[in-house]
Every structure is written in structure tokens, then in C-alpha cells.
Amino acid sequence: MHILKLSLLVLLLMPIKTYALTKINYMVIQDQAQPFQNHQNKKHHNGIITDIVKEIFPASDYDLTIHTLPFNRMIKTLEQGKLENWITFGSPNWPGVQSLNLSQLPVFNVQHSLLTAKQHEFDIKSAQDLFGKTVILLHGFDYPGLEEHISNKDINAIKVKSYSSAFKVVNRLKDKAGFVEMTVRINYNLKEQKLAPDDYNLLNFSSVIADYNLHLAMAPDMDAKIENHINEQLKKMQSSGKLKEIIDAY
């Protein structure tokens, strides 16, 4: 009996081996990336990219730390290189840190549209068709195919900080301006703000900004095991239909 008690005491005193969860820093753009990254006051995160990231890094195995920052501050934080094992989304078509280290598989194909007031429709076959007109753009983002003409003042630009502001400017300026944005973002935010799509024209803008793929973007020095895990999980999600299921939910 004494031997049994002694054995139990030894077991209780033995150090318990614990395993720290691998920390992943997930970077979210504040208020401008719906439906890819949605949140309510920096809480209750979901969205296409967020749901994909959560699927790849379950809470049982990873410490997924979410950082919600304004776009420019997020980019500055990533460029400083002090944050380890970060992940967000990006594209080979984008400049800077969001294009340096991308997932092998794309997660979304992006098309752009020009949103105009219903009673006025632009005929857009090239950027030249916008000369002398005004485009509404989200502050802080790059627009390949437009930037050069805006710099040359061939096209006027109004920068806004939110989708609600963009829709208000479209309604106010009528035939004088159109809102350029990813088609999926326009449709999502019209629905979120309970605006009727039939009140607007949604014109294909691929002749100015070519379609391109979005990928998961990772730290240039991402841990190799984590990077391999990301790529393997994306392959599984694509083959199982989970990737399409997440996209279709938005």
C-alpha cells in the first residue's frame, strides 16, 4: 500500500510535458476588405479569406492571433518584418509585400466592375473611354490600368474611405462618375447596405483592369513546415469542394 502511494506521489510530482500551440499572425484589413475579411468592431471575424484561414489553422492546433488594422498601417507593419509567421491575402499583380510569398493555389479569381447610376451608362472598351470623366476609388488601394492616367490627369479620381461613401458619390454625381471596384465587393456591399442592384449599372471593367487571381500571402520568411501545411490544406480544400463552399457562402 505504501509502495502504491509512493508511486502515485512520484507520478504527481513528475513534470507534465506540454505543447505550445504554433502562433499564426493573421492580418485583417479594417473595414475595407469585405467580403474577404469581415468583422464587427474588430471582433466576430469571418469572410472568404478568414474562413479559409480558420479552416487551415484550427484552434485545437494553432494559436491564430488576428490583427485588424487600417490598410496602410497593416502594410507598414508587414514591411517592418518584426511579425513572424503572418498570413493575409495578396496577388502577383499587386506591388509590395502582399506579392512576395504566395500560396501555390489561388483562392479566388477577381473581376472588376464600374458601378454607375442607372440612368447613365458608360461604354467602356478601354481606359481612354474614361478620359475627362471621374472614377471613385477606395483610399489606399492600387488600381493597375488606371494609375498612370490619373497621374497624367486624363482621368479624375475621388478617393473615399468606405463603400457607403462610394455609393453616395455615385448617386450624387450621376453621369459624371463611376465607382471602380472588385465585382464581388460591390455586390456584397450593396446587399449589406440594403441598396437595390437594379438602381445601378454594373459594367464589366476587364478591358481596363484585367482579371487576376488572389492567393494567400505569407511572410517571406514563413516557417517552411507552416508554409507546406498551408499549401497541402488548400489542395485538400479544393479537391473536397470546401473552398467552393466557403466562396459560395458570400
Side-chain angles (χ1 to χ4, degrees), residues 214-226:
L214 291 182
H215 296 247
L216 295 183
M218 300 167 277
D221 57 352
M222 190 73 151
D223 182 280
K225 289 183 179 179
I226 298 175

Side-chain angles (χ1 to χ4, degrees), residues 9-98:
L9 181 62
V10 170
L11 287 173
L12 289 172
L13 293 176
M14 286 178 65
I16 299 173
K17 192 173 183 179
T18 59
Y19 296 90
L21 297 178
T22 301
K23 183 174 181 178
I24 305 296
N25 290 295
Y26 175 46
M27 311 304 291
V28 170
I29 301 170
Q30 182 177 331
D31 299 333
Q32 287 187 316
Q34 307 94 325
F36 299 111
Q37 296 176 321
N38 308 336
H39 69 92
Q40 296 175 8
N41 298 320
K42 299 185 179 182
K43 298 178 181 179
H44 311 296
H45 290 80
N46 63 6
I48 294 172
I49 300 298
T50 300
D51 290 357
I52 291 171
V53 169
K54 286 182 177 180
E55 185 75 17
I56 292 173
F57 298 111
S60 57
D61 300 319
Y62 294 90
D63 175 12
L64 186 65
T65 302
I66 301 177
H67 307 263
T68 307
L69 300 170
F71 178 74
N72 287 337
R73 194 189 307 169
M74 185 195 81
I75 294 299
K76 185 177 180 180
T77 300
L78 299 184
E79 289 175 342
Q80 288 173 343
K82 296 179 181 178
L83 209 57
E84 293 183 343
N85 295 332
W86 59 259
I87 187 168
T88 185
F89 67 105
S91 171
N93 294 60
W94 293 354
V97 70
Q98 284 179 284

